[in-house]
């Protein structure tokens, strides 16, 4: 066995010299970043926000549960490079994890998924039989559906969380906060003054115009899946997005969305009508 002499080391091309740091074993509730574990198409669309952490040295740390639901649970996850304080190397995200065997909307999925296609015939048969594997496929398909909807909405400039990545039934996305840096409340939890209330409705109407103009309907829109991030609204929970033209119930879903949101705004003192909003939106449908 031979050892390099100091003179031999000094003759090394600097491009072959690099610094490295070893890390201790990860603690419970931590994992190495999964950013490079997923395929490129499973990572967020370009241009990516500056806060997206792409370093292979980053560690994901569970910070706690944000929301529990019948179809999925949402957790706060910090992705950060240990010991680094550089910009773009630490961020808190939401990890939405769909359940594999007890998906809330599995039994009524047909009304939402009409017009959608499943890639593998075996999976399609399992879905129709509602077998155990079919339920697993359903949870994965709903995660993919929300991923695709978020990417499409983000590209259209709609107010939705930025989709960071998808890995199986886990969807990582932007954490929406209020002016104090806390989790933004649901619109249903707020009591905005008249001016802000009117602004919120205008924002929501504009978003719906863009959605409908691109052939999409949220399908489950209400004040409970809209976040109030200071003076702006952000729409969340998009796995059931409906094709307005391809789904026979597309117009029914749109009318229900309009009725739900207008009912809430009227309860806060803004005179709006769900039928009028529905008729207005239909004028933008292609």
């Amino acid at each position: 066995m031979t050892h390099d002499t100091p003179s031999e080391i000094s003759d090394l091309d600097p491009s072959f010299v690099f610094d490295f740091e070893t890390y201790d074993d990860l603690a419970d509730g931590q994992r190495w970043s999964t950013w490079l574990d997923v395929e490129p198409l499973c990572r967020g669309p370009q241009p990516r926000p500056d806060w997206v952490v792409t370093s292979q040295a980053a560690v994901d740390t569970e910070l706690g549960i944000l929301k529990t639901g019948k179809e999925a649970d949402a957790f706060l996850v910090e992705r950060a490079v240990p010991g680094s304080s550089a910009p773009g190397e630490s961020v808190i995200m939401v990890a939405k994890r769909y359940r594999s065997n007890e998906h809330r909307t599995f039994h009524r999925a047909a009304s939402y998924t009409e017009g959608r296609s499943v890639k593998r015939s075996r999976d399609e048969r399992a879905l129709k039989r509602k077998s155990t594997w079919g339920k697993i496929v359903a949870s994965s398909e709903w995660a993919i559906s929300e991923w695709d909807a978020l990417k499409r909405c983000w590209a259209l400039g709609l107010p939705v969380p930025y989709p960071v990545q998808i890995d199986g039934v886990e969807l990582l996305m932007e954490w929406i906060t209020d002016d104090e840096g806390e989790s933004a409340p649901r619109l249903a939890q707020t009591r905005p003054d008249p001016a802000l209330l009117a602004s919120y409705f205008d924002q929501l109407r504009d978003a719906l115009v863009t959605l409908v103009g691109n052939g999409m309907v949220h399908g489950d829109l209400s004040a409970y899946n809209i976040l109030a991030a200071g003076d702006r609204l952000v729409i969340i929970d998009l796995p059931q997005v409906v094709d307005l033209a391809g789904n026979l119930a597309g117009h029914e879903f749109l009318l229900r969305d309009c009725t739900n949101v207008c009912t809430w705004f009227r309860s806060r003192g803004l005179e709006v009508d769900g039928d009028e909003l529905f008729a207005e939106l239909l004028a933008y449908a292609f």
Side-chain angles (χ1 to χ4, degrees):
M1 182 175 180
T2 60
H3 297 276
D4 295 331
T5 65
S7 62
E8 290 173 325
I9 294 175
S10 64
D11 292 336
L12 286 175
D13 186 328
S15 63
F16 289 97
V17 179
F18 60 91
D19 295 326
F20 70 94
E21 180 180 354
T22 60
Y23 296 111
D24 296 330
D25 291 336
L26 298 182
D28 291 341
Q30 290 186 318
R31 68 185 183 193
W32 293 108
S33 167
T34 56
W35 175 259
L36 293 180
D37 294 341
V38 300
E39 299 177 1
L41 291 178
C42 294
R43 301 176 196 144
Q46 298 278 11
R48 296 189 183 107
D50 294 339
W51 53 262
V52 176
V53 178
T54 62
S55 173
Q56 192 171 3
V59 172
D60 292 348
T61 303
E62 294 269 349
L63 300 181
I65 195 160
L66 180 64
K67 173 184 175 289
T68 60
K70 294 181 180 179
E71 61 188 30
D73 295 324
F75 301 81
L76 287 181
V77 173
E78 180 185 38
R79 175 167 289 176
V81 178
S84 175
S85 59
E89 294 199 329
S90 176
V91 67
I92 297 176
M93 303 176 291
V94 172
K96 185 173 183 178
R97 295 166 185 157
Y98 281 89
R99 295 182 179 156
S100 296
N101 296 318
E102 48 188 68
H103 196 283
R104 174 177 63 90
T105 55
F106 182 79
H107 296 293
R108 59 186 178 92
S111 59
Y112 287 108
T113 58
E114 182 179 340
R116 296 183 189 173
S117 61
V118 179
K119 293 181 180 179
R120 298 192 303 178
S121 58
R122 174 199 173 211
D123 292 344
E124 187 171 4
R125 290 194 301 271
L127 281 169
K128 290 179 178 178
R129 291 197 307 268
K130 300 182 181 180
S131 64
T132 300
W133 175 248
K135 293 180 180 181
I136 295 173
V137 171
S139 62
S140 177
E141 287 297 319
W142 283 89
I144 292 170
S145 177
E146 180 157 29
W147 169 253
D148 289 341
L150 282 172
K151 287 195 301 178
R152 187 176 178 189
C153 289
W154 178 266
L156 291 170
L158 285 161
V160 298
Y162 176 77
V164 177
Q165 70 176 72
I166 185 173
D167 186 7
V169 297
E170 180 186 74
L171 180 60
L172 292 179
M173 68 186 80
E174 178 183 4
W175 177 37
I176 305 300
T177 59
D178 60 18
D179 294 336
E180 282 73 45
E182 301 295 329
S183 291
R186 296 177 184 274
L187 183 60
Q189 299 172 309
T190 68
R191 291 190 172 276
D193 61 48
L196 184 56
L197 185 70
S199 173
Y200 280 166
F201 184 76
D202 289 342
Q203 291 179 50
L204 185 57
R205 179 175 54 201
D206 289 345
L208 291 174
V209 165
T210 301
L211 273 173
V212 171
N214 287 273
M216 293 184 288
V217 180
H218 186 284
D220 194 29
L221 191 63
S222 74
Y224 290 94
N225 45 34
I226 302 171
L227 300 181
D231 60 0
R232 70 186 183 99
L233 294 184
V234 178
I235 299 172
I236 60 171
D237 294 339
L238 299 162
Q240 70 291 313
V241 164
V242 171
D243 185 320
L244 180 60
N247 190 304
L248 292 177
H251 286 67
E252 294 178 21
F253 284 121
L254 179 59
L255 177 58
R256 188 177 69 181
D257 285 355
C258 292
T259 300
N260 286 342
V261 296
C262 286
T263 297
W264 183 85
F265 276 96
R266 280 202 310 274
S267 73
R268 292 296 189 266
L270 187 66
E271 290 302 317
V272 291
D273 182 83
D275 290 336
E276 291 181 3
L277 178 60
F278 174 69
E280 178 185 353
L281 293 176
L282 286 183
Y284 294 92
F286 60 83

